[in-house]
Amino acid sequence: VVVAVAAAAAAPARALSMLLPMNKRKCFRQEFADDVLAKGSYEVRSAEGMTIKALHVVVRDPDDAVVYDNGGLGNDGTFGFTTTFGGEYTFCLEDRWAQGVKKKQRKAARDLPPRHVTLTLHSGVDAIDYEALAKKEHMSELDVQLKRIEDQVNAIVKDFEHMRGREERHRSTNESTFSRVSWFSVASIMILFGLGAWQVYHMRVFFKRKKLL
């Protein structure tokens, strides 16, 4: 199952809650601009199967390269990455048997209900820990607020540049498609005229041979 979710560079946190059946993968896509910080966390809220099941989380970039993979080793965790280029990033979750679970344990637990899983995603300014940044850089409260505003403006500019680039690609695709359709139409008309002339010529030859003309 794949769900598409549109997002801007400075979008607020997004949280998805779902019931995840065993061995069923659920994915969603979220669009990011180039060079955007993204952080996320996942948590299994159901108590059943915590010792015999593990949540597998995989994040892929628009080229289908793996950005993050927890290896199916836990039920709770966090991740973070910075986008190398703009486009749709895919987040997939799958409930699996934990490593070392024996066949008898699987049979005993096969009737357990789907587990409740929550995935939270922060991006852009929302993903930056300004408190930690202030302590590290010894910044005053005013400096932190100015830094936050600066990052918000930069994020909005990045998002507009990303949307403009996407619009230009779509326009280029539309123009290319229109050009191809136009040439195809012209070629089709020329072929039809050619076939019509060929048929008229052969009909004239046929009637002359039969001395009908």
Side-chain angles (χ1 to χ4, degrees), residues 12-212:
R14 294 178 181 271
L16 291 177
S17 295
M18 68 200 80
L19 291 175
L20 194 60
M22 190 64 186
N23 294 324
K24 296 292 184 181
R25 184 174 61 176
K26 289 189 177 182
C27 301
F28 78 94
R29 296 191 181 103
Q30 185 154 340
E31 188 168 359
F32 295 109
D34 180 32
D35 193 29
V36 172
L37 175 64
K39 291 183 179 180
S41 61
Y42 49 92
E43 179 183 3
V44 177
R45 296 184 177 275
S46 302
E48 300 88 351
M50 290 295 289
T51 58
I52 60 175
K53 292 183 179 182
L55 184 65
H56 188 207
V57 180
V58 179
V59 182
R60 295 180 181 273
D61 66 17
D63 287 340
D64 205 35
V66 175
V67 176
Y68 172 80
D69 187 345
N70 74 340
L73 299 178
N75 292 298
D76 304 293
T78 60
F79 60 87
F81 61 90
T82 300
T83 59
T84 54
F85 49 88
E88 288 187 339
Y89 285 70
T90 305
F91 301 78
C92 293
L93 300 92
E94 182 179 1
D95 214 10
R96 296 180 174 180
W97 296 112
Q99 293 184 359
V101 176
K102 298 180 180 180
K103 192 173 182 179
K104 290 183 179 180
Q105 292 175 296
R106 296 182 183 184
K107 286 185 178 180
R110 63 185 178 183
D111 293 329
L112 287 176
R115 298 202 295 173
H116 186 195
V117 178
T118 298
L119 176 68
T120 304
L121 185 64
H122 306 264
S123 62
V125 177
D126 191 54
I128 300 175
D129 188 349
Y130 286 96
E131 291 185 3
L133 181 64
K135 292 179 181 179
K136 181 180 178 181
E137 301 294 337
H138 305 288
M139 301 169 64
S140 66
E141 184 176 351
L142 178 59
D143 292 333
V144 172
Q145 293 299 324
L146 291 174
K147 175 63 175 174
R148 185 189 298 270
I149 294 173
E150 180 184 359
D151 291 342
Q152 288 175 338
V153 172
N154 290 335
I156 293 173
V157 170
K158 283 183 181 179
D159 191 48
F160 274 112
E161 290 177 348
H162 175 66
M163 288 189 293
R164 185 175 60 185
R166 185 175 59 180
E167 182 184 355
E168 289 176 354
R169 290 193 297 271
H170 288 172
R171 184 171 63 250
S172 177
T173 301
N174 291 337
E175 290 175 353
S176 176
T177 302
F178 177 77
S179 177
R180 292 177 182 178
V181 170
S182 299
W183 280 110
F184 177 78
S185 300
V186 172
S188 298
I189 293 173
M190 293 178 65
I191 291 172
L192 289 175
F193 273 114
L195 287 175
W198 180 80
Q199 288 178 342
V200 170
Y201 171 77
H202 280 275
M203 289 293 290
R204 288 175 62 85
V205 171
F206 174 78
F207 287 134
K208 284 183 178 180
R209 287 178 181 176
K210 296 295 184 180
K211 298 182 178 179
L212 297 176

